[in-house]
Amino acid sequence: MCIRDRTDSTDSNIDTTTFVYGNVMYEKGEYAKSIQIYENLLSQNGPSATLYYNLGNCYYKTNKLGSSVLNYERALMYDGHNEDIKYNLELVNLRIRDKMDPINESLVTLWSREFIKIFSVHSWALGCILFLWLSLTGFAVYRYAKKRSFQRNGFWGFVISFIIFIITLVSAITRNNYDKNFQFAVVMAPSSIVKSEPNESSTNLFLIHEGLKVQLLESDNNWTEVKMPDGNVGWLKNEDFMRVRGK
């Protein structure tokens, strides 16, 4: 199976000429040059799902699986329903060495988590403000309109908008808590030993490899407690991973 190649569209604030040049280098197989161009664009313009996606493809082509997974994961943060990103991430995950069965979670938990991830906190908050304004407008129409048809439409506009306002408010709060409490990272070292405690002399628990995504729990100096996809927990050196929400 092959990855789905880079997209030709990008954000309006990014230098199109430079971006296209990076794409040309990719087509010519000059992946190192493409990586340099896309990384520079990120430094200059900030996060972009398109640039992270293209970087994930470049790193995949150069067999740097950890960097590939990292950039696809970052791309999904800004475009969580892009099927090309999801497809390529699944493909690269087939190549990483560690195969762990995830913890079984209820359908309600999985569905609610996917639902709040549809939009960012910022987008949920904007929706919250919009529907609050619409609900207040509907109430004003219902309260002060002279015609009964206007009152009826105003009432139902108020009710529906207020319900959606509550949903967006809860979603914004839940997404904010998720972003704060659920931090993830990708193992970048070729292999890394997970320890029972945050020091070199503690017991070796297991060995993990480049490309594995782990959840970050708590930090202690140069160590971080991490949770594996299968639920196992241990301590990992900070130098062995990079945070998904890192830039």
Side-chain angles (χ1 to χ4, degrees):
M1 292 186 291
C2 298
I3 63 169
R4 296 175 182 172
D5 282 340
R6 87 286 174 277
T7 177
D8 292 319
S9 61
T10 187
D11 304 304
S12 59
N13 63 321
I14 291 178
D15 180 5
T16 303
T17 302
T18 305
F19 177 75
V20 170
Y21 180 58
N23 292 347
V24 171
M25 292 297 99
Y26 179 92
E27 293 290 352
K28 290 183 176 181
E30 299 286 345
Y31 304 122
K33 184 64 176 178
S34 291
I35 289 171
Q36 182 182 3
I37 292 170
Y38 296 143
E39 292 283 9
N40 287 341
L41 287 172
L42 278 173
S43 299
Q44 294 167 11
N45 300 279
S48 161
T50 300
L51 291 175
Y52 285 137
Y53 174 67
N54 287 10
L55 278 168
N57 291 348
C58 289
Y59 282 118
Y60 181 86
K61 292 288 189 178
T62 55
N63 207 37
K64 295 180 180 179
L65 302 185
S67 294
S68 182
V69 171
L70 180 67
N71 280 281
Y72 288 143
E73 290 285 354
R74 287 176 173 172
L76 284 175
M77 287 173 51
Y78 299 96
D79 191 1
H81 290 270
N82 186 302
E83 293 302 321
D84 288 342
I85 300 173
K86 291 181 179 180
Y87 175 85
N88 285 4
L89 179 59
E90 290 177 2
L91 193 61
V92 71
N93 277 328
L94 292 175
R95 293 187 56 191
I96 66 173
R97 293 183 60 179
D98 299 311
K99 311 297 182 186
M100 299 184 182
D101 295 325
I103 301 174
N104 290 326
E105 295 182 301
S106 68
L107 290 177
V108 174
T109 300
L110 292 173
W111 181 87
S112 60
R113 183 183 302 154
E114 290 303 310
F115 179 75
I116 65 168
K117 288 166 67 177
I118 292 175
F119 300 112
S120 65
V121 174
H122 179 70
S123 297
W124 281 120
L126 288 178
C128 183
I129 294 170
L130 172 63
F131 284 102
L132 175 61
W133 182 83
L134 289 175
S135 65
L136 293 175
T137 301
F139 180 80
V141 172
Y142 165 72
R143 180 69 177 78
Y144 298 108
K146 301 300 182 181
K147 292 185 177 181
R148 186 173 295 274
S149 60
F150 284 4
Q151 290 179 336
R152 183 171 57 252
N153 291 336
F155 173 77
W156 286 111
F158 162 70
V159 170
I160 295 171
S161 296
F162 188 75
I163 291 173
I164 299 176
F165 160 69
I166 295 298
I167 293 173
T168 55
L169 176 62
V170 172
S171 298
I173 294 172
T174 307
R175 179 61 194 264
N176 185 59
N177 290 335
Y178 176 84
D179 289 345
K180 286 183 177 179
N181 299 323
F182 288 82
Q183 297 291 323
F184 295 93
V186 176
V187 177
M188 305 301 288
S191 61
S192 183
I193 298 174
V194 179
K195 297 279 191 173
S196 61
E197 297 177 11
N199 58 71
E200 289 285 3
S201 59
S202 62
T203 304
N204 296 341
L205 296 180
F206 40 86
L207 186 68
I208 57 177
H209 301 86
E210 179 183 5
L212 181 66
K213 180 184 175 183
V214 297
Q215 182 182 345
L216 306 178
L217 301 179
E218 61 175 301
S219 298
D220 187 340
N221 294 321
N222 297 322
W223 296 78
T224 297
E225 188 178 30
V226 299
K227 186 177 183 179
M228 307 297 126
D230 60 5
N232 286 318
V233 175
W235 291 86
L236 195 63
K237 287 182 180 180
N238 292 346
E239 64 191 49
D240 289 349
F241 65 80
M242 288 189 69
R243 293 174 178 266
V244 173
R245 195 177 296 275
K247 59 179 179 180

